[in-house]
Amino acid sequence: MKKRIFLPIAFALLLSGCDDFLGIKPKGSLIPESDKDFEYMLNYAQLLKTGESYPTFLTDDAYLPLTSTNMVLQGFNSSTPDRKNAYSFQKDIFADSDVDPLWEYSYQRLYYYNTVINWANGSSDLSEKGKSIRAEALVGRALEYLYLVNGYGKHYTPETAGSDLAVPIITEDLASQPPKARATVQEVYDLIRSDLDKAIPDLPVRPVLNAFRASKPAAYGLLARTYLYMGDYAKALKNANEVLKLNAALLDYNTLVANPEALGMNMVDMPVPKDNPESIYARTAPYSLGNAFGVFPSQSLESIFDKENDLRWQHVFAHKFQIYYTSPEPIYMPGWEINLGVTTPEIYLIAAESEARVGNPQRALELINTLRKNRLSKYTPLASSDKSQILKWVLEERRREFAEVGLFRLIDLKRLAKDPENAVTFTRTLGEKTWTITPGDPRLVLPIPGKIMLKNPLLVQNER
């Protein structure tokens, strides 16, 4: 039997110009050669994750008192250094000796995707299975770059995207290569769209095995998100509709049962991502529960929930009903794994926002009412003919659905800065210190990790 061992390659090797591993076959391991070998690579555990959770602490969703009576979280003073730095808008979030997991693990995953893609591109006689494997890797690469460009770059603006700096584009699968400068926001978005467009013809309609494997709806869903971020709402709607034709399943939260005696996982009997009917493309947070136990909802976030009827408030934020939780302060504590891939609720919301902006506002209402019906214990349909009001409802629903999740709110704050009617200004107070974050604030763009800056003289730091 062949032995399959695939060694993780840290991104530091990709940019630092360290020893050249090119052409060296590691002793005791196999250089993959067949489509089965490369398909096996897609099941590498790190490829089943994406994104990061710490950027939430830069947003108006997060609240950390200096100290707290909460028995689980003691507040700012007991938080991790990166969360403290993000929450207090420090110039640097990580020390030069620390790993920024969003940057380094994203590029590590890109190494694997590039390996699969370049194997397929170099094959003179690629089977249909091989084409499908390459297509899955293209989807994975697109997702990683979509998070990277929106974390470390300014938000996409057509007039400046060609000059605004984003992240280095690496499409090679070399263990060591010369340092690269930051590509522009436009160049990264061009690669994302190109990868997804190339992938769609070779992807299955239904994922192989489960939602951790990419499918046509996954690619259409990422295109919908990409065009939403670009402000091209017509194309966002077109791709969202393609997804909904193939998968429009929603999970009725009224069927979920909470276990008040559980702590951590299984507090609610939510299906795991691979079995959840809402999972179009499953990618868990690096820590399966994301920011669980680590952050309180801000006053502005808490104020938009119907606390009596919204089951997200009851299931996502822990309250007195849990025997291990006695503080009156609600804390973010979802009892299930967080999916940072593509879900049907996101597609409903992308379609609804696009309809509200450039299409049929009444369909936007229908879409969010369908979602709300599956989230509220006592559901009353929203009704209005006011386009601005409908859009406001859609954006509030989006904030509730993705409360404290990954980069969703951070990216929304950046993109809504381009929308005068819905741009957000928020103030954060910590002890005697106050910060006011206005639309377009450069502090909402993540700093390039100092560890990486030290290794690559071509990189230019973001102004914060």
Side-chain angles (χ1 to χ4, degrees):
M1 172 182 278
K2 283 188 176 182
K3 178 167 56 175
R4 296 187 179 95
I5 301 176
F6 305 102
L7 303 178
I9 305 296
F11 178 54
L13 293 176
L14 294 176
L15 284 187
S16 64
C18 294
D19 295 339
D20 187 0
F21 294 94
L22 192 60
I24 300 176
K25 181 174 179 178
K27 184 177 180 181
S29 64
L30 174 72
I31 300 299
E33 298 172 347
S34 69
D35 54 9
K36 290 183 179 180
D37 293 334
F38 285 94
E39 184 176 33
Y40 188 87
M41 289 186 72
L42 295 178
N43 295 322
Y44 171 48
Q46 277 298 323
L47 295 189
L48 308 184
K49 302 178 181 181
T50 197
E52 246 301 324
S53 300
Y54 76 81
T56 293
F57 289 84
L58 289 163
T59 75
D60 58 343
D61 276 1
Y63 169 60
L64 287 176
L66 275 173
T67 58
S68 171
T69 59
N70 183 287
M71 65 177 292
V72 178
L73 172 65
Q74 296 303 313
F76 178 85
N77 288 337
S78 62
S79 292
T80 59
D82 57 298
R83 291 176 174 183
K84 286 183 180 180
N85 291 337
Y87 191 78
S88 57
F89 298 104
Q90 299 301 307
K91 182 178 180 180
D92 297 309
I93 295 176
F94 295 92
D96 289 351
S97 59
D98 293 339
V99 169
D100 177 347
L102 176 60
W103 181 285
E104 296 209 26
Y105 297 151
S106 292
Y107 276 103
Q108 184 183 114
R109 289 187 288 268
L110 285 168
Y111 172 84
Y112 283 86
Y113 290 130
N114 288 337
T115 299
V116 175
I117 293 165
N118 292 334
W119 154 76
N121 290 343
S123 175
S124 59
D125 186 20
L126 194 62
S127 67
E128 290 303 311
K129 182 177 181 179
K131 293 177 182 178
S132 180
I133 292 168
R134 174 178 56 192
E136 289 197 55
L138 288 167
V139 172
R141 185 166 76 178
L143 176 59
E144 295 301 328
Y145 274 120
L146 190 56
Y147 276 132
L148 286 169
V149 68
N150 282 288
Y152 300 99
K154 293 181 180 179
H155 194 73
Y156 184 93
T157 303
E159 295 78 14
T160 62
S163 57
D164 291 336
L165 296 180
V167 295
I169 290 178
I170 295 179
T171 56
E172 301 88 355
D173 53 84
L174 308 180
S176 179
Q177 55 188 271
K180 288 192 175 184
R182 297 171 66 183
T184 66
V185 170
Q186 186 67 59
E187 288 170 331
V188 179
Y189 268 89
D190 287 347
L191 176 64
I192 291 166
R193 290 183 297 164
S194 174
D195 279 355
L196 294 171
D197 287 338
K198 289 176 184 176
I200 287 173
D202 295 322
L203 288 168
V205 173
R206 301 294 176 192
V208 176
L209 299 178
N210 56 56
F212 279 109
R213 301 289 295 273
S215 60
K216 289 184 189 297
Y220 283 127
L222 285 178
L223 275 173
R225 185 191 296 179
T226 299
Y227 283 118
L228 179 80
Y229 290 168
M230 294 177 70
D232 190 336
Y233 301 110
K235 289 183 179 177
L237 177 60
K238 177 182 177 181
N239 283 281
N241 285 338
E242 290 297 323
V243 178
L244 294 176
K245 290 177 186 176
L246 299 170
N247 185 353
L250 290 172
L251 182 66
D252 187 350
Y253 276 28
N254 287 283
T255 65
L256 299 178
V257 178
N259 178 6
E261 296 186 1
L263 179 65
M265 294 294 291
N266 303 319
M267 289 190 299
V268 180
D269 63 343
M270 176 75 73
V272 295
K274 73 179 182 65
D275 297 327
N276 192 322
E278 295 185 347
S279 292
I280 294 173
Y281 189 40
R283 285 293 183 271
T284 61
Y287 305 99
S288 59
L289 295 179
N291 287 318
F293 308 95
V295 64
F296 298 107
S298 66
Q299 185 176 5
S300 68
L301 176 61
E302 187 173 340
S303 70
I304 66 171
F305 278 96
D306 176 350
K307 296 180 182 178
E308 295 297 322
N309 295 308
D310 198 318
L311 296 167
R312 290 167 296 196
W313 178 256
Q314 297 175 25
H315 289 324
V316 172
F317 294 92
H319 308 279
K320 286 185 178 181
F321 69 80
Q322 279 136 346
I323 65 171
Y324 294 101
Y325 185 85
T326 59
S327 170
E329 300 169 290
I331 187 173
Y332 179 68
M333 199 183 294
W336 56 79
E337 289 182 285
I338 306 302
N339 184 3
L340 298 183
V342 181
T343 64
T344 49
E346 180 189 6
I347 300 306
Y348 274 82
L349 290 163
I350 291 174
E353 181 175 343
S354 300
E355 291 281 25
R357 291 184 183 277
V358 300
N360 181 353
Q362 291 307 306
R363 182 174 181 245
L365 269 181
E366 292 172 7
L367 288 162
I368 61 168
N369 277 330
T370 300
L371 178 59
R372 285 166 51 80
K373 187 176 181 180
N374 286 275
R375 297 295 188 263
L376 302 180
S377 57
K378 293 182 180 178
Y379 160 71
T380 301
L382 298 174
S384 177
S385 57
D386 185 332
K387 182 177 179 180
S388 296
Q389 177 61 66
I390 293 170
L391 178 58
K392 180 176 182 293
W393 282 338
V394 172
L395 294 174
E396 286 182 349
E397 200 63 40
R398 181 178 173 87
R399 190 178 180 192
R400 284 188 285 264
E401 188 68 25
F402 299 119
E404 316 283 14
V405 172
L407 281 87
F408 278 88
R409 183 59 180 172
L410 179 63
I411 297 172
D412 280 354
L413 288 174
K414 291 167 67 177
R415 72 184 181 91
L416 292 175
K418 311 295 182 181
D419 177 0
E421 289 189 15
N422 295 290
V424 177
T425 296
F426 67 96
T427 299
R428 172 167 296 157
T429 301
L430 189 64
E432 297 181 355
K433 182 73 173 178
T434 297
W435 297 266
T436 298
I437 304 301
T438 56
D441 196 304
R443 288 172 290 185
L444 296 180
V445 180
L446 300 176
I448 306 300
K451 180 179 179 180
I452 304 301
M453 291 288 297
L454 290 172
K455 295 184 177 187
N456 185 353
L458 298 182
L459 295 180
V460 177
Q461 184 59 276
N462 288 323
E463 296 182 10
R464 299 184 83 245

